Structure formats: structure tokens, C-alpha cells
Amino acid sequence: MNGVSRKIIAVDMDEVIADALSEHLHRYNRDFGTKVTTKDLHGKWLWDYVPADHQNALMQYMLSEDFFSCLEVMPHAQRVLAKLQTRYDIFIASAAMEVPSSFNAKYRWLAEHFSFIPSSRVVFCGDKSILQADYLIDDNPRQLRLFRGEGIMFTSPANVFVTGFKRVNDWLDVEKMFLE
Ligand SMILES: [Mg+2]
């Protein structure tokens, strides 16, 4: 029975294990002389918050060579995922098709910070309806609605008002939910 009955947890990247939002805010504030913080984004995606003529700049940040390599790891993500791996099959599932040029950088970032997750367990996809996992931990309500297993909402500023999913606020909450 070795491993046969283990449940599968799929884990999103941006805003779940990788702090893309902080890097976005850092670059945006630097370039536009603003002081936007995560508090300003309560219930809003950064894309909806900035004026229409600044949206292209946001996209350019994600297309820039060094964007993903700069991202901080979300607190406790490494420790908790390593622990989860002892009891669950963990897959990283990123909707990388949204920015196809990000594949290499995202893959390198994972290899650097989550080397304990084998590349055979990394999924770069479009919509997450294709995943056959028991759980998906994600901050994006659209992906959680598409997913066919149990969606777990990882809190980020944009999704604070979304209901209908179990919610975790950080990796300590994930640890409690799956390991206690
Ligand atoms: Mg995300």
C-alpha cells in the first residue's frame, strides 16, 4: 500500500508560495512615485487598482527577465510543504500560461527555493480544471471555481471578500488544516 492512499495537494505559486505582489508594488511605487500598499488593495487586484494607462507597466514587470528571480518565499512555505510531503503527494501548479515567457524563471525559482519538490511534480498549466488532485491551495477564486477537487482559498488582499471556500491565511493555517 506504500503511497497508494496518499491524497494529492496541488499548490499555486504566485501569492501562495511566491510573494509576487510585494515585488509588483515595489516596482510600481518606484516607477510612479506612489505609496500603494497591500492595505489599499483590500478586495482589489492590483490590476483593477491602478489607472488603465499604468496596466502595461504591470505587465512589463512580469515580462522582465529578473522579475521571478527576485520573489521572496512566503513565510513558512518551505518548512510546511516539506512536512506536508511526508504525508501527501505535493504538486506545484502554476497558471504559467498567463505569462508563457515566465516558464524558465519560474522553474529556476522553484529549483532554488523548493529543491525538495521534484520537477516531475511541477505543473505549468492554463486553467486548473485539468488538475486531478484532492485539494488545490490557491489565491485565485476563478481557478478555485474551475478546480474539481476541494479548493482552499489562500488569503491575499484581492480575495478577502470572496466566500464559498475553506480559507487559510498563511502557511501556519495550512499546517493546522492538514497536519494536526
Ligand atoms: Mg496565485
Side-chain angles (χ1 to χ4, degrees):
M1 282 294 287
N2 190 16
V4 170
S5 62
R6 282 158 66 106
K7 299 249 188 198
I8 299 171
I9 304 177
V11 179
D12 178 35
M13 279 184 78
D14 292 347
E15 266 56 77
V16 174
I17 60 172
D19 188 359
L21 181 58
S22 291
E23 184 61 21
H24 249 131
L25 286 174
H26 166 72
R27 293 182 183 215
Y28 183 78
N29 287 329
R30 177 195 66 194
D31 294 349
F32 292 94
T34 49
K35 289 185 178 161
V36 184
T37 71
T38 53
K39 288 200 178 68
D40 300 310
L41 301 178
H42 211 62
K44 295 191 198 89
W45 297 92
L46 181 57
W47 305 85
D48 300 325
Y49 180 85
V50 306
D53 58 340
H54 291 180
Q55 303 234 339
N56 187 46
L58 294 185
M59 182 48 88
Q60 292 309 316
Y61 299 150
M62 290 176 77
L63 293 174
S64 76
E65 282 286 307
D66 64 342
F67 183 81
F68 288 97
S69 63
C70 292
L71 303 189
E72 296 284 338
V73 178
M74 296 296 260
H76 308 289
Q78 289 152 316
R79 181 184 62 78
V80 175
L81 268 179
K83 206 166 152 192
L84 279 173
Q85 249 189 346
T86 64
R87 283 204 231 160
Y88 299 86
D89 287 346
I90 303 297
F91 284 76
I92 302 297
S94 172
M97 280 312 295
E98 288 167 6
V99 188
S101 60
S102 69
F103 286 3
N104 285 338
K106 285 194 157 191
Y107 182 72
R108 278 197 305 272
W109 188 90
L110 282 171
E112 182 182 348
H113 299 289
F114 292 87
S115 57
F116 55 88
I117 296 176
S119 57
S120 57
R121 301 229 160 156
V122 175
V123 181
F124 287 167
C125 60
D127 87 50
K128 295 184 185 176
S129 64
I130 193 67
L131 299 177
Q132 189 174 19
D134 296 287
Y135 306 96
L136 170 65
I137 304 173
D138 204 303
D139 66 303
N140 187 327
R142 185 176 65 84
Q143 296 289 8
L144 289 171
R145 284 184 201 110
L146 288 165
F147 178 61
R148 294 154 199 247
E150 182 172 357
I152 312 283
M153 174 77 78
F154 195 96
T155 296
S156 70
N159 72 32
V160 289
F161 299 123
V162 178
T163 57
F165 301 98
K166 273 191 197 162
R167 180 180 284 277
V168 288
N169 290 319
D170 53 31
W171 278 94
L172 299 178
D173 277 355
V174 176
E175 186 174 26
K176 273 185 223 135
M177 183 176 283
F178 287 100
L179 294 167
E180 284 179 11

